[in-house]
Amino acid sequence: LNKKPSPHCPYPRSQQGITLIELMIALVIGLLATGAMLKVYVDSSRLYRFNEGLARIQENGRFGLEFIRRDARMAGFWGCYRDADLTNRISTGSANYIDFDADDVTGTNDDSATIGEFITITDSITFSGASGGGLAVSSDMDLPSSPVSVSNLGNFQTGDTLLISDCETADIFQVTATGGSAPILTLEHEKDSSDVNTSSELSKAYTSGSRLYPARQITFCIAAGADPEQPSLRRLTNPASSETCKDDGDELVEGIENIQVLFGEDTDADDEGTNGDGTANRYVDSDASGLDMDRVVSLRIFLLARSLNDNLTTEPSPYYFVDPVAITPTDKRLRKVFTTTITLRNKTG
């Protein structure tokens, strides 16, 4: 007998659901779509980490060079006349004695720095000179042993190392006391006569208008940072006799793995660094034969910056640093070399 379909279900086969084959096809399509989205996410995440690491390297490298460049340009500044007669009045027996009588620019070559399990062979560079715009002496000194008067103290504090200059003569001394009634304050130079090179007197009684400047000896080096596994550019200012840049320097920029310094020497100049054309004829490291620091007129600085995170590349990326020989690291970090040439303006004028 032929049965008529129910008026409520005129097509009974359409209500039987999907088949197993259809379900499997749907699962396969879903898996393909999920895999594609997962690959896009992984690639985007990897690209983001790569770009973030590269941007951080660029930022750190530029900051590192700028810190060095600022202090390098002030090296050898001892008042308004670079050939002024300079005398260091700080006792060599003082814990804070700084050898300002040495070259304005010095460096070490190929020191080793241990950072975690990583050892890098790096240079260091030291600059000496006065900095800032200075403060004017407000009144004439009565005697070379008289306190130095200024109209305001500025940022000067007891213990600071200062330079006083009138463009003909310059003295370096340490502030042992400040005092006086406003608006006149006094700075007393060190009165330590235990050393033959130090007396309680400056070279002369300086007159009103002479300038006072902070005197600085600054060393840049590479050492472990706050994270002992990360190399950093560090700076040590006016170190005590027992302090070193690697142990006591302030961390400036993390991720700086190496610094190399080449000294630009004007070989046309005489032994006093004069009568040359102010242009470097050769760039050599600090151990080079015949290098005369009095004739150094410029520096070439190389910084090697690396990413803070590992595994930013699929395989180790070779790089070139100073020498034209490719270096292949053992990790998968990004690395970039930054270089600049700095003219020592106080050595070429």
Side-chain angles (χ1 to χ4, degrees):
L1 295 177
N2 295 327
K3 294 183 179 180
K4 294 182 178 180
S6 171
H8 300 291
C9 186
Y11 306 103
R13 291 182 59 84
S14 66
Q15 302 301 314
Q16 294 177 359
I18 62 174
T19 66
L20 180 60
I21 295 177
E22 291 172 331
L23 179 61
M24 293 178 65
I25 292 174
L27 289 174
V28 170
I29 293 175
L31 287 174
L32 291 176
T34 303
M37 288 188 293
L38 184 60
K39 185 177 187 306
V40 170
Y41 171 77
V42 171
D43 290 346
S44 298
S45 178
R46 182 178 297 167
L47 182 61
Y48 174 79
R49 292 179 67 245
F50 181 91
N51 289 334
E52 183 183 38
L54 183 60
R56 189 69 175 271
I57 289 175
Q58 297 276 11
E59 181 181 70
N60 289 346
R62 288 196 297 267
F63 272 124
L65 286 182
E66 183 59 26
F67 279 122
I68 297 174
R69 187 184 295 116
R70 288 180 183 178
D71 291 322
R73 287 174 175 168
M74 294 305 296
F77 172 67
W78 300 113
C80 52
Y81 180 49
R82 72 185 185 99
D83 291 328
D85 186 17
L86 176 66
T87 304
N88 190 351
R89 296 291 172 177
I90 300 178
S91 170
T92 56
S94 171
N96 295 320
Y97 172 75
I98 301 170
D99 187 9
F100 289 104
D101 298 325
D103 294 311
D104 301 326
V105 181
T106 58
T108 63
N109 186 47
D110 290 345
D111 288 338
S112 62
T114 302
I115 300 143
E117 297 181 355
F118 175 76
I119 298 177
T120 183
I121 305 301
T122 177
D123 293 349
S124 68
I125 184 75
T126 299
F127 306 112
S128 299
S131 63
L135 292 177
V137 175
S138 58
S139 60
D140 296 349
M141 296 173 62
D142 296 329
L143 298 169
S145 59
S146 301
V148 182
S149 298
V150 291
S151 59
N152 67 85
L153 195 58
N155 294 323
F156 296 158
Q157 301 177 14
T158 300
D160 286 352
T161 302
L162 302 183
L163 169 81
I164 185 170
S165 172
D166 63 359
C167 296
E168 294 181 357
T169 306
D171 284 273
I172 296 171
F173 63 94
Q174 188 174 6
V175 180
T176 56
T178 61
S181 58
I184 302 299
L185 298 172
T186 60
L187 305 174
E188 295 182 0
H189 52 81
E190 182 168 340
K191 296 177 173 61
D192 182 356
S193 59
S194 61
D195 191 282
V196 295
N197 297 319
T198 307
S199 69
S200 60
E201 298 183 351
L202 299 179
S203 297
K204 64 183 181 182
Y206 285 87
T207 58
S208 173
S210 300
R211 307 290 293 184
L212 287 165
Y213 305 89
R216 298 282 186 264
Q217 189 172 74
I218 298 173
T219 299
F220 290 90
C221 66
I222 303 296
D227 179 356
E229 300 296 324
Q230 289 288 355
S232 297
L233 178 67
R234 305 186 72 157
R235 178 177 64 186
L236 181 62
T237 302
N238 288 4
S241 57
S242 60
E243 293 181 330
T244 64
C245 178
K246 292 180 180 180
D247 295 329
D248 305 291
D250 297 321
E251 181 179 0
L252 295 179
V253 185
E254 61 182 345
I256 304 300
E257 188 174 270
N258 204 328
I259 177 174
Q260 294 293 316
V261 182
L262 297 181
F263 296 83
E265 183 181 12
D266 180 7
T267 56
D268 298 325
D270 55 28
D271 292 339
E272 285 73 34
T274 59
N275 300 323
D277 58 6
T279 302
N281 303 102
R282 65 169 186 162
Y283 283 90
V284 294
D285 60 43
S286 60
D287 291 339
S289 175
L291 175 63
D292 186 346
M293 285 297 183
D294 288 332
R295 300 189 299 192
V296 171
V297 295
S298 60
L299 300 171
R300 187 161 291 165
I301 307 292
F302 300 85
L303 287 184
L304 177 63
R306 79 177 194 185
S307 61
L308 302 183
N309 298 319
D310 202 350
N311 297 316
L312 294 188
T313 60
T314 56
E315 58 185 19
S317 300
Y319 62 92
Y320 294 87
F321 187 58
V322 185
D323 294 326
V325 178
I327 301 173
T328 302
T330 57
D331 56 30
K332 297 179 182 179
R333 299 178 189 267
L334 291 175
R335 284 175 173 82
K336 185 174 177 61
V337 178
F338 297 83
T339 182
T340 186
T341 300
I342 307 168
T343 297
L344 303 175
R345 57 188 181 186
N346 297 298
K347 303 273 284 183
T348 58

